[in-house]
Amino acid sequence: MTIVIRRREKSIVSIEKPQNGDGILTFKKILNGVEELDNKGRAFNHCFLEPNSGLGYHKHIGITETMYILKGKAKNIAENDNETILNPGDTTFTDNGQGHSIYGMSEESLEFIALVLFKGEE
């Protein structure tokens, strides 16, 4: 079966101080919930962090997260304060049990795709 989800049908959510970070995160749900992700994940979103905004450091428990940078420049801080500068076309992957934060570093909004999948203990 093929399903088409029109732009007007996509949920848009804004969160202040996401993960105890700074500023505002707005995202459009590319897929609207776990059912559309075949119960294999929690989120597939097109995300926008306003300038001087960022997701605070957080750990992933039972999930993985992949981020694909579309626009802007970002600083990703992973385990052990490992900092990496990200540019359009770069991808990050945070595994189950690992933590990270991401902050926009340019005058424009940071734009990225986020895919959050479930992952149990192996």
Side-chain angles (χ1 to χ4, degrees):
M1 173 182 355
T2 300
I3 297 172
V4 175
I5 303 167
R6 301 287 181 193
R7 181 184 312 181
R8 66 184 172 277
E9 298 170 328
K10 295 182 187 297
S11 300
I12 299 175
V13 178
S14 290
I15 300 171
E16 289 188 44
K17 299 188 177 194
Q19 300 286 357
N20 294 314
D22 300 313
I24 297 174
L25 168 70
T26 299
F27 59 90
K28 294 181 205 173
K29 294 183 177 187
I30 295 171
L31 293 175
N32 291 307
V34 296
E35 297 80 24
E36 291 179 8
L37 282 163
D38 199 23
N39 295 310
K40 292 178 174 57
R42 187 171 75 199
F44 184 35
N45 297 328
H46 186 176
C47 304
F48 304 84
L49 275 170
E50 292 184 358
N52 302 311
S53 295
L55 297 171
Y57 187 84
H58 59 285
K59 281 202 175 245
H60 290 263
I61 307 300
I63 59 171
T64 65
E65 182 173 31
T66 302
M67 293 180 168
Y68 178 75
I69 307 301
L70 297 168
K71 220 173 174 185
K73 185 175 186 178
K75 176 170 56 174
N76 186 74
I77 303 171
E79 295 287 322
N80 302 320
D81 293 326
N82 183 13
E83 291 187 16
T84 305
I85 302 301
L86 304 171
N87 293 292
D90 292 342
T91 301
T92 67
F93 175 78
T94 305
D95 205 353
N96 182 32
Q98 300 296 304
H100 74 117
S101 64
I102 189 167
Y103 288 89
M105 297 180 60
S106 58
E107 297 295 318
E108 63 183 335
S109 293
L110 176 65
E111 185 176 342
F112 58 95
I113 301 294
L115 175 63
V116 179
L117 299 175
F118 298 131
K119 183 173 183 182
E121 294 298 319
E122 299 178 32

